Amino acid sequence: MGYYFDDSKSIYAYEGTNPKAVINALAHRYMGENLEHDLYYRAYCNDGITRASDYRYIIDFNKVYPDAEQKDCVWAFTKYYSPVQGGAGFDVNCFGPMTMYLNGEVIYKSDIFKERYSENATRVDVPFKPGWNDLRICFKKTKAGFGGKFGPWLGKWDVYTLMPTKERDGQEGWVFTEIVDDQYEPEFEIGMSEADFDKKLYPTREWSAEDASKGQLSRIFGNPSGKYAMAWAKGFFDNTANKNYEFSITSKTKTAVYLDKNIIYSADGGSEKLTVEVPFGSHDIFVKCECDGGDWGFDLTIDGVKLESAARVKGAPDEWMYIGVFDTDFEFPFDDACSMHKVVGEPKTYWRLDAPNTAVRPYNENSLFGRWNYPLGVTMYGLLHTALITDNNDLKGYLKRHVQLCVDTLEYALWDKEQYGGATAVHNLLTSIDSLDDCGSFASMMLEVNKYLGIDNVEYVADYVGDYIYNKQDRLENGAFFRKDMMHSFHNQTMWADDLYMSVPFLTRYYELTGDIKYADDAANQFLAFKEMLYMPDKHIMSHVYDFKYDSQTGVPWGRGNGWVVFSMTELLEKLPEDHPKRGALIEFLNDLCSAYVKLQDENGMWHQVLTDWESYPETSCTSMFVYAFSRGVRFGWLENPEQYIKAVFKGWEALTKTSVDGGGNVYGVCRGSEFSFIPDYYKYELGWNLNDTHGTGIVMLAGIEVIRITDYLNK
C-alpha cells in the first residue's frame, strides 16, 4: 500500500519509470484542468468603498457625509462567492462603531477599545459557506470617526467582493445607504432591484439631470476642443438572405464610423441613414467623434442588430465602451486598444463607460492561467522543458500565451495602481512588489521561455524586475537578501533559504540577457552570504529561516527550503564563467550539502518534509529537487563520487512514480506554501500537503527531464 494512494493507482503501475510518459501525463493533466481564458471585465466605480494599497477595503464616511450627526448610521452591502466551506482571516480597523454580519449572523462587533485604538487591526474569522455569501456592515458615527478598513489580512491577497444588486450585478465593490438612524434595520437581499429597496444606494449610478441632457462624450470627457474619442461595440449580423443593413447615425460634431476597423462613414455631424453590406457573423463597430469645444456625442443604431459590449463587461448595461481623449493627429492604435491588455495614448488612458466615474477594469478570474506568482514560475519552467523535450507544439503555445499575457498587462497594471488607489485586479504582486517572492521565480522562467519561444517586449518586464532585485531589495551588510519590511508583516526581519531560488536563477538569466557580469557576481555572492546565516555545520544542511528578531537560526531543515538551495546552485553553476573567482567555493559548498542530502534519502527513495525526521511525510517537491540537482551535478562534473548520486537519482525517480504521481497525472505530497517555526512540529503536523500544488508539479517534470538527460549522458 502506497503512502498517498494504493500502489495499483500509481503512474508506475501504468508506465513504470518511463520519464517521458510521466511528464507527458503531468503536462496534459495540468493543461486540461487549467484551460486558457482571457481576462474578465467589470464595470468599476472609483467612488465610495474602494480597495487601498494593502488590498483591504476602506471608507471614511465623514468625507462622504460631512454633515452627519452623532449616532447616524450607514449600511454597506456586498456579496462574495466561495467555492468551498471555510474561514478567511480578515483584518478590521474601525474608525467608529462597526458591526459586521455574514449571512445574517454577527461575526464582528467593535468595542470601546477597538474604537479607541483604530490603528490596531483586529483579526476576524469570516466563515464563508460554499456559494454566494451575504456580507454587510453597519457603521455608526461618533466624534472619533465614521467608517473603517477591512479585508483579507494577508497583504496583496487579491480577494474582492461584488455589488449585490440586480442593476450592478458583476461590478466590484460595495453599495451603501444614505444616512439612516441607529434603529434602522434593512430589508435587503442579494440580487434585489434597487428600485425595491427603501433607501437610496450609493455610489450613484445615474447622471444628474443636467449631465443626462448632454451628449455622452461631454459627460464622460468634458469638452476638450481639438480632441477626439472612440467608442466600441459589437454586433451579430445574422441575415443570410440579405446582407444589407441600415445604419442610422446622429452626431453633434465631426464623426466617422468603422466596421472592423475599416471606415464606412464620415461627416461633420447631423443625422444620416446609410446602407452597408455586412457579412454574416460578429463584427466590431467603432465610432470616432471629434470635440469642437461644445457639446459632443452620438447615437448609432443598426436595423435588426442588437449591439453588445465588445468586452462582455459585467456590472453596467451600456453596450458601448469609450476611450479618449486623443489629439486629432494621433492615429488610434486599434490592435493595442482592442486587445484590452494595454493603455494607449499620451497621457495613457483606458476604456470608460457612460456612468458617473465608471471605468472598465480587467480582472484575472483564472487562478492558474495568465497569472504571475512564484509557484507558477516553477510550474511553467517544468512545462517549458517538457514541451521542448517532447516537441509538443500545443504545450509550447499554451505556455507562450500564458507568459505573453503577463508581459502585456504589466504596463496597464502599473497605470491601474495609480488610478485606483493601489490595489490592482491584475498583477497584484508586481505592482506591489516588496519581496523576492513577488518577482524572481516567474521572471526567471519568463526569460527561459523567451530564450526558446520568444516573448514580445520581454526586456521591459525583465528590467523592471532586475531593477527591483539588484537596486531595491533589502540586503544585509554582506549583500545577502533578507526580508526587512513587507506588507506580509510576519516575514519581517527574516532570511529564508527559499530566497535563493527567488533571486539567483533570475540574476543568472538576466546576466545572460544583458551580458553584465555584476548580476552573476551578485548571484554567486548570495550562496556564500546565506551560508553564513543558515548553514548548520553539525548537519551540513541548511536551516529554513534566520530570524533577526531573535538573532537565531530556526534550526529546522525543511525539505523544500533545502531543495531550493541546491536546485538554484546548479542553475547558477551552469551559466557562471569557468574562471569566476567564487566558482570553486560554490562547487565545494555544493558537494558539502549534497553529501549530507544523499544520506537523508529513505529506503524507498523519498526525502521528507523535515529532512532529518522520516516520521514526517515523504515530500514530493524536495525529492524532485534533489533528483534534479544530483543529476545536473553528475552531468556537469561538479559532484565528487558520482556513483552514489546516480543511484539516488534513479531511486528517487522510481519513488516519485510510485509514491507521488497517480495514473491520472495527479501529484500528491507537495507541501503547501509555508510560514516558519522554530520547532519541527509545525512543518510535520501543521504544514500539510496539497493535491496538484503548483509548488511541486513543475518540479516533478523537471526531475523527469533530468532522468532523461542523465540516462542519455550515461549511455554516451
Side-chain angles (χ1 to χ4, degrees), residues 123 153-155 157 374 437 483 486-492 494-498 543-547 554 556-561 564 609 617 671-684 686-688 695:
R123 185 68 46 82
W153 69 275
L154 185 60
W157 189 16
Y374 86 77
D437 277 2
R483 307 183 183 198
M486 297 171 54
M487 196 180 297
H488 184 17
S489 58
F490 183 78
H491 292 194
N492 289 347
T494 59
M495 172 188 279
W496 295 51
D498 314 42
S543 168
H544 180 206
V545 169
Y546 194 100
D547 190 339
T554 58
V556 181
W558 181 43
R560 187 158 70 230
W564 289 130
Q609 169 74 338
Y617 61 87
C671 176
R672 60 178 172 82
S674 77
E675 299 298 341
F676 72 91
S677 174
F678 280 85
I679 59 172
D681 284 2
Y682 163 72
Y683 298 85
K684 184 175 179 179
E686 297 180 46
L687 190 56
H695 289 86

Side-chain angles (χ1 to χ4, degrees), residues 27 30 378-388 395 398-399 698 701:
Y30 181 89
V378 191
T379 300
M380 296 293 125
Y381 187 19
L383 284 172
L384 170 65
H385 284 282
T386 297
L388 294 172
L395 190 54
Y398 174 89
L399 176 66
M701 293 184 214

Side-chain angles (χ1 to χ4, degrees), residues 428-449:
N428 56 309
L429 299 178
L430 275 188
T431 55
S432 302
I433 189 169
D434 68 357
S435 74
L436 295 166
D437 277 2
D438 292 339
C439 57
S441 167
F442 197 98
S444 173
M445 177 276 299
M446 174 191 73
L447 292 178
E448 189 80 346
V449 171

Side-chain angles (χ1 to χ4, degrees), residues 101-378:
Y101 302 79
L102 179 70
N103 301 320
E105 302 292 330
V106 175
I107 58 170
Y108 169 81
K109 185 177 177 63
S110 64
D111 57 33
I112 58 172
F113 301 101
K114 297 180 179 68
E115 294 158 20
R116 175 69 176 81
Y117 300 103
S118 61
E119 68 276 12
N120 297 330
T122 300
R123 185 68 46 82
V124 178
D125 180 62
V126 185
F128 291 119
K129 67 180 184 181
W132 286 110
N133 290 261
D134 179 332
L135 188 60
R136 60 185 67 184
I137 305 174
C138 179
F139 301 89
K140 183 181 291 187
K141 178 179 174 66
T142 69
K143 289 183 179 180
F146 191 16
K149 193 174 188 181
F150 41 93
W153 69 275
L154 185 60
K156 294 177 282 189
W157 189 16
D158 190 20
V159 173
Y160 46 83
T161 64
L162 300 179
M163 293 188 177
T165 66
K166 178 181 178 181
E167 291 82 359
R168 312 190 209 213
D169 186 31
Q171 188 172 157
E172 187 204 333
W174 299 63
V175 294
F176 56 92
T177 66
E178 57 195 315
I179 292 289
V180 297
D181 64 53
D182 62 350
Q183 300 302 308
Y184 175 76
E185 294 187 6
E187 294 184 5
F188 182 88
E189 296 180 358
I190 288 178
M192 74 184 299
S193 171
E194 295 179 31
D196 296 331
F197 188 55
D198 66 345
K199 301 295 179 185
K200 183 171 177 58
L201 291 172
Y202 296 91
T204 185
R205 61 186 179 86
E206 297 176 344
W207 294 106
S208 67
E210 180 183 355
D211 284 333
S213 68
K214 302 174 183 177
Q216 79 271 52
L217 299 177
S218 287
R219 55 184 178 250
I220 297 172
F221 299 113
N223 304 104
S225 182
K227 304 288 186 178
Y228 76 88
M230 298 291 295
W232 179 26
K234 278 187 178 291
F236 189 77
F237 296 76
D238 61 358
N239 192 335
T240 58
N242 180 4
K243 297 183 179 180
N244 292 322
Y245 293 84
E246 185 176 85
F247 286 57
S248 298
I249 178 75
T250 299
S251 61
K252 297 174 179 290
T253 58
K254 185 176 181 180
T255 299
V257 179
Y258 299 77
L259 176 68
D260 295 331
K261 307 174 190 175
N262 299 308
I263 192 165
I264 59 172
Y265 168 82
S266 180
D268 289 333
S271 298
E272 191 167 342
K273 295 182 184 292
L274 60 150
T275 301
V276 182
E277 183 177 333
V278 185
F280 178 88
S282 180
H283 295 277
D284 292 308
I285 310 297
F286 299 93
V287 179
K288 175 183 178 182
C289 287
E290 295 187 17
C291 180
D292 59 11
D295 192 22
W296 59 316
F298 72 93
D299 181 68
L300 173 65
T301 59
I302 306 171
D303 189 37
V305 175
K306 185 180 185 325
L307 295 177
E308 61 182 5
S309 169
R312 301 177 299 281
V313 176
K314 306 298 182 185
D318 199 353
E319 65 267 24
W320 291 97
M321 300 188 300
Y322 308 88
I323 193 168
V325 290
F326 308 106
D327 292 334
T328 52
D329 61 354
F330 175 73
E331 184 176 351
F332 185 68
F334 282 101
D335 290 341
D336 283 349
C338 296
S339 75
M340 300 293 294
H341 299 157
K342 299 182 179 181
V343 284
V344 296
E346 194 58 52
K348 301 297 184 184
T349 191
Y350 196 69
W351 295 99
R352 299 283 307 277
L353 296 173
D354 184 11
N357 200 19
T358 302
V360 178
R361 205 174 180 196
Y363 294 74
N364 195 334
E365 304 273 329
N366 193 334
S367 60
L368 293 179
F369 183 84
R371 281 190 176 268
W372 176 296
N373 60 48
Y374 86 77
L376 277 174
V378 191

Side-chain angles (χ1 to χ4, degrees), residues 585-605:
L586 290 173
I587 292 175
E588 181 181 349
F589 187 25
L590 177 68
N591 275 274
D592 183 32
L593 291 170
C594 289
S595 65
Y597 294 142
V598 75
K599 296 171 185 174
L600 295 172
Q601 187 179 31
D602 73 18
E603 64 270 14
N604 296 317

